Amino acid sequence: TTFRCIVGADCNETNGRPIFVRIAEDGNWGFAALYCIITVLMSFGLFNVIIAIYVENTVAAAKNNDVKTRQLRLQDQDRLAEKTIELVHLFWEKYIMSTSEEPNGDAMRHRIDFGRAMNMEITPDFFYEVASDPRAQSLFADLDIAAEDQADLFDIFDADGGGTLQLEEMVVGIRKLRGDPRRSDIVSVGLMLRAVQGQLVSLDAEVRAIRGLNEARRIPSSALSRRPSKDP
């Protein structure tokens, strides 16, 4: 009866009278209080725990599925090439319109001179003008570039600090910037810095050695200049 009442929620006698009322009328208030406590624990305790576990597993499965989908999208080289070409076309279209080199921009929209495009210098003003276009923002999102990174894209792509960009720098930067930061990115940067540090140490040692040789060569000449001359 206890199992049927607590788990199955069938707390009635065979004639349909609630067992809880029967217990209370017989004066067994201790059993009535125990029944109330167990019912509350079962309703708000065990069932909520089961629901929480189910919801947690569902959210974890959805997150895992999202991560796998994102990884597959990042590994899709055809999609990357397609979206990158669309972005290059957009920059070329804006460049032609800004320089007014072609009177019919619509006719030239789908034709691009890659030789001229690769030598095209992109200034910060022109870059952010194109980046503010909704089509460019959509392409950046399709290329898995985070929205918070889009505000400083020019400084990120301009690795040499020259103040201008070329399409090759932008394409390489997009490939490196896609997706979430990974531990391998930090490790690779650390290894490159260590290699550069080693080269700088070697260069410093060579400079010191050359400076020492120059100092050694200057000593005899200075000593000869201070030697008194003999009268004939």
Side-chain angles (χ1 to χ4, degrees), residues 54 215 229:
Y54 174 77
E215 292 292 337
S229 59

Side-chain angles (χ1 to χ4, degrees), residues 38-150:
I38 293 176
T39 302
V40 170
L41 291 177
M42 292 295 295
S43 300
F44 298 99
L46 182 60
F47 291 155
N48 285 341
V49 170
I50 295 174
I51 293 174
I53 293 175
Y54 174 77
V55 172
E56 182 180 2
N57 292 335
T58 303
V59 172
K63 185 177 180 179
N64 187 29
N65 185 45
D66 183 68
V67 170
K68 290 183 178 179
T69 303
R70 188 180 182 87
Q71 289 177 350
L72 292 176
R73 188 170 62 250
L74 292 174
Q75 295 173 0
D76 190 353
Q77 298 299 321
D78 294 336
R79 184 175 182 275
L80 172 61
E82 177 185 355
K83 296 300 179 181
T84 304
I85 291 175
E86 291 181 14
L87 186 63
V88 170
H89 271 276
L90 179 60
F91 270 88
W92 177 253
E93 174 188 340
K94 294 289 186 179
Y95 177 77
I96 292 298
M97 294 175 61
S98 64
T99 55
S100 300
E101 294 182 3
E102 298 292 341
N104 189 2
D106 293 334
M108 296 293 297
R109 182 171 299 176
H110 299 290
R111 194 177 71 187
I112 180 172
D113 186 352
F114 282 98
R116 292 173 57 194
M118 296 305 292
N119 295 325
M120 177 178 60
E121 291 189 352
I122 303 174
T123 62
D125 294 336
F126 176 71
F127 179 85
Y128 287 116
E129 178 185 353
V130 179
S132 62
D133 192 306
R135 292 177 294 172
Q137 295 176 0
S138 177
L139 287 172
F140 283 135
D142 292 339
L143 289 169
D144 297 286
I145 296 178
E148 57 269 18
D149 292 332
Q150 295 185 16

Side-chain angles (χ1 to χ4, degrees), residues 161-209:
T164 58
L165 278 181
Q166 292 186 342
L167 286 178
E168 182 179 1
E169 292 179 297
M170 187 178 69
V171 172
V172 173
I174 288 174
R175 293 180 63 91
K176 297 294 185 181
L177 194 60
R178 297 180 69 221
D180 298 326
R182 299 178 299 272
R183 182 181 178 183
S184 59
D185 298 330
I186 301 175
V187 172
S188 63
V189 171
L191 293 176
M192 285 189 293
L193 289 177
R194 184 175 298 178
V196 171
Q197 184 181 14
Q199 293 176 358
L200 290 176
V201 170
S202 301
L203 180 61
D204 181 69
E206 293 178 1
V207 170
R208 289 177 182 272

